[in-house]
Amino acid sequence: MVDLTTSNFDMKSQRINLLKLATLISLLLIVSAIAFSWLTKSKPQNNEININDSVINPTENENTISKRDSIVNYGKELLGTPYVEAGSDTNGFDCSGFVYYVFKHFRIEVPRSSPQYENFGKEVPIENVKKGDILVFLSPTNNTVIGHLGIVTNPKGMESDFIHSTSGREMKVVITSLKVEGYKRRFVKAISVIN
């Protein structure tokens, strides 16, 4: 004999579970529809990002930022290249030859000789330097003329790191901190040549 009470109970339980499942699915669909509607209404156009009702277009600075990083990374590929007086290629660099070579790779025209940087570029307060800016120093042998250059690799104001070709003890392309006394004392200015 079949127990109809158990069968009816199982069928009612299945109906209740199906009803609960249908309700849950309906709620998920409603929430998804509301979220989709909200996202498509407030979505900025043209890769813009909306933050606190301010619209930012990252493509405006994207090229400048990547160019700065590329300049620094390219310079770092030349670490260890020997210092050669008047050198401006991978056989050896002097300080201005190194800066000239790196920027020339990115089709940015800069002077070939360090004294020409006295009135060149857009001066930047040292607190605002960025990667790829150029640091200008007095000559180690004549404190009245520009005589050394480097490219900022890690901007930290007067403690920024820079890559340069040194005629000092290392006699090669190295990264140095601006807080090193010999460079801090001879520091003249920072300039930007990147648009």
Side-chain angles (χ1 to χ4, degrees), residues 47-101:
N47 297 326
E48 295 171 341
I49 301 168
N50 196 347
I51 301 173
N52 297 333
D53 296 326
S54 298
V55 175
I56 300 168
N57 189 348
T59 55
E60 288 175 5
N61 291 322
E62 208 170 79
N63 291 337
T64 303
I65 292 168
S66 64
K67 187 184 289 184
R68 288 179 178 279
D69 285 333
S70 296
I71 287 168
V72 168
N73 291 338
Y74 185 69
K76 286 180 177 179
E77 289 177 21
L78 301 167
L79 281 168
T81 304
Y83 177 88
V84 172
E85 190 173 339
S88 61
D89 60 34
T90 54
N91 292 320
F93 298 106
D94 65 9
C95 66
S96 58
F98 172 73
V99 172
Y100 177 81
Y101 184 87

Side-chain angles (χ1 to χ4, degrees), residues 15-171:
R15 284 186 190 150
I16 290 171
N17 286 339
L18 283 173
L19 187 57
K20 285 180 183 177
L21 184 61
T23 304
L24 183 61
I25 290 172
S26 297
L27 284 173
L28 286 173
L29 288 172
I30 291 168
V31 170
S32 296
I34 291 169
F36 180 77
S37 171
W38 180 78
L39 286 172
T40 54
K41 262 190 219 172
S42 64
K43 185 177 178 187
Q45 301 298 312
N46 301 328
N47 297 326
E48 295 171 341
I49 301 168
N50 196 347
I51 301 173
N52 297 333
D53 296 326
S54 298
V55 175
I56 300 168
N57 189 348
T59 55
E60 288 175 5
N61 291 322
E62 208 170 79
N63 291 337
T64 303
I65 292 168
S66 64
K67 187 184 289 184
R68 288 179 178 279
D69 285 333
S70 296
I71 287 168
V72 168
N73 291 338
Y74 185 69
K76 286 180 177 179
E77 289 177 21
L78 301 167
L79 281 168
T81 304
Y83 177 88
V84 172
E85 190 173 339
S88 61
D89 60 34
T90 54
N91 292 320
F93 298 106
D94 65 9
C95 66
S96 58
F98 172 73
V99 172
Y100 177 81
Y101 184 87
V102 170
F103 281 94
K104 182 180 174 188
H105 180 79
F106 294 93
R107 296 191 174 117
I108 299 172
E109 290 188 39
V110 297
R112 172 57 191 90
S113 173
S114 52
Q116 295 173 318
Y117 283 82
E118 185 172 355
N119 297 310
F120 181 78
K122 176 184 170 194
E123 190 165 350
V124 177
I126 190 62
E127 300 80 30
N128 299 336
V129 293
K130 297 178 183 168
K131 281 184 178 182
D133 286 342
I134 299 172
L135 300 183
V136 180
F137 300 90
L138 293 172
S139 165
T141 58
N142 182 347
N143 66 0
T144 61
V145 296
I146 302 299
H148 193 67
L149 308 167
I151 301 170
V152 175
T153 57
N154 185 15
K156 296 182 289 186
M158 281 304 287
E159 295 186 351
S160 295
D161 296 329
F162 62 100
I163 189 168
H164 60 122
S165 183
T166 178
S167 61
R169 188 179 66 239
E170 294 101 336
M171 293 287 292

